[in-house]
Amino acid sequence: MHVQKKIDWFAMFNSCFLALVALFCLIPMIHILAVSFSSSAVAATGTVTLWPKDFTLASYEFVAQRAAFWQSMFISFQRILFGGAINLLLTIMVAYPLSKENGEFRFRSFYSWSFFITMIFGAGLIPTYMVIRQLGLMDTIWALVLPTAVPVFSVILLLNFFRMIPKELSESAYMDGAGHWITLWRIYVPVSLPALATILLFSLVGHWNSWFDGLIYMNDPSHYPIQSYIQTIVVQRSFSTMTPEEAKLMATISDKTMRSAQIFLGALPIICVYPFLQRFFVKGMVLGSVKG
């Protein structure tokens, strides 16, 4: 007997809707890539859409010769290296005790609310700037890393994940003589790799895309991370960071194609990293958000 298969209209609608959203996200990036590979004369006419016209690599050659661009890339790599490691370490150290019951950790609720309040009410720009300045962190990489050293959202995500780990695992470790320190690093951390990968991805993307703190805390443009550098070129259109030779060469190249090349190169590292962490990202988000 032939059974007619029902069409899942809800799944079909979801697929079409998500494909449309993905297309809207990809089109701007494809357009920027097409402009960066087009000649300056064609790009100036505004006729480049999703495919390069009069293909050339002149803009990328110009960007490759700019020391300021590679210096900003180096600062950003430093930032995600230190920032990602510090975020991950402190998130684990904070989430583990907060995941315990009140009987195991006195004043757990007080500490939990203290962290939660800081997530809702920030100190504000001026007090934060004054603290950074008084600590002597201006124009250092630590001004970009330390203010966001403990991401509270990631702490909540990880402590929920820790609570889902069966208590029998930690109880058996305690019976064998292990303390909290060994239990944390030899049991909790190895079984929490999906959640930790998710937190690391949040941290890397957040640090890589941040640009405002670079403008605030860095007085020397040579200390700008890549996004702050691109912001000065694209939005402010400041050429103060260029040498006279670069400004002269800039006249022979369309600033539109040059900015497109720098935008694409600035986003390229995080685009390369994301697919490797995406499979952990989905699993970690779902498991860490089940319990409130």
Side-chain angles (χ1 to χ4, degrees):
M1 181 180 177
H2 177 69
V3 179
Q4 187 176 5
K5 188 177 180 180
K6 292 184 178 180
I7 300 176
D8 191 344
W9 292 103
F10 181 74
M12 185 177 294
F13 171 78
N14 274 345
S15 299
C16 295
F17 177 74
L18 292 178
L20 188 63
V21 172
L23 190 63
F24 279 126
C25 294
L26 285 175
I27 284 177
M29 183 60 70
I30 297 174
H31 173 69
I32 289 175
L33 187 62
V35 171
S36 68
F37 283 117
S38 301
S39 67
S40 58
V42 176
T45 61
T47 58
V48 179
T49 54
L50 302 180
W51 192 257
K53 293 184 178 179
D54 195 8
F55 184 87
T56 178
L57 295 175
S59 298
Y60 287 92
E61 293 175 358
F62 176 77
V63 172
Q65 296 173 0
R66 296 213 61 196
F69 176 81
W70 297 113
Q71 174 66 17
S72 299
M73 288 284 279
F74 176 70
I75 297 293
S76 284
F77 278 115
Q78 273 190 315
R79 177 174 185 171
I80 63 173
L81 178 63
F82 292 124
I86 291 174
N87 285 159
L88 197 60
L89 177 63
L90 293 183
T91 300
I92 294 172
M93 299 293 289
V94 173
Y96 177 74
L98 294 182
S99 67
K100 299 299 180 183
E101 301 295 336
N102 286 327
E104 298 179 86
F105 179 35
R106 295 182 62 186
F107 306 114
R108 186 190 68 85
S109 299
F110 170 77
Y111 289 112
S112 299
W113 278 105
S114 299
F115 281 104
F116 183 68
I117 289 174
T118 62
M119 188 173 68
I120 300 176
F121 304 102
L125 177 61
I126 295 177
T128 305
Y129 175 83
M130 293 176 66
V131 170
I132 296 296
R133 186 174 182 179
Q134 290 297 322
L135 293 176
L137 299 179
M138 298 292 291
D139 273 320
T140 67
I141 190 67
W142 305 114
L144 306 176
V145 171
L146 294 183
T148 57
V150 181
V152 179
F153 178 77
S154 298
V155 170
I156 295 174
L157 186 69
L158 188 59
L159 74 86
N160 285 328
F161 195 95
F162 281 164
R163 287 177 179 174
M164 296 177 63
I165 297 175
K167 292 184 178 179
E168 288 77 8
L169 289 176
S170 57
E171 290 174 353
S172 62
Y174 297 149
M175 292 178 65
D176 290 338
H180 286 293
W181 188 259
I182 295 178
T183 304
L184 170 63
W185 293 106
R186 294 190 179 182
I187 296 178
Y188 276 71
V189 170
V191 302
S192 304
L193 290 181
L196 296 178
T198 303
I199 292 169
L200 181 62
L201 181 62
F202 281 159
S203 175
L204 296 182
V205 174
H207 280 295
W208 187 266
N209 288 336
S210 294
W211 59 271
F212 186 66
D213 50 358
L215 297 180
I216 296 297
Y217 301 133
M218 299 296 170
N219 296 321
D220 188 350
S222 65
H223 295 161
Y224 282 170
I226 185 63
Q227 303 301 338
S228 302
Y229 167 78
I230 291 177
Q231 199 272 347
T232 60
I233 295 296
V234 176
V235 179
Q236 299 180 4
R237 300 194 176 191
S238 171
F239 298 93
S240 59
T241 59
M242 292 185 180
T243 63
E245 291 76 13
E246 290 174 337
K248 185 177 180 180
L249 183 58
M250 181 72 186
T252 63
I253 301 175
S254 168
D255 60 336
K256 188 175 182 179
T257 59
M258 188 275 291
R259 291 198 303 268
S260 299
Q262 294 188 97
I263 290 172
F264 181 74
L265 289 177
L268 186 60
I270 203 67
I271 293 175
C272 295
V273 170
Y274 186 81
F276 295 100
L277 295 177
Q278 194 268 344
R279 60 193 180 98
F280 297 107
F281 173 74
V282 175
K283 186 177 180 181
M285 277 295 293
V286 173
L287 294 180
S289 60
V290 172
K291 295 177 70 176

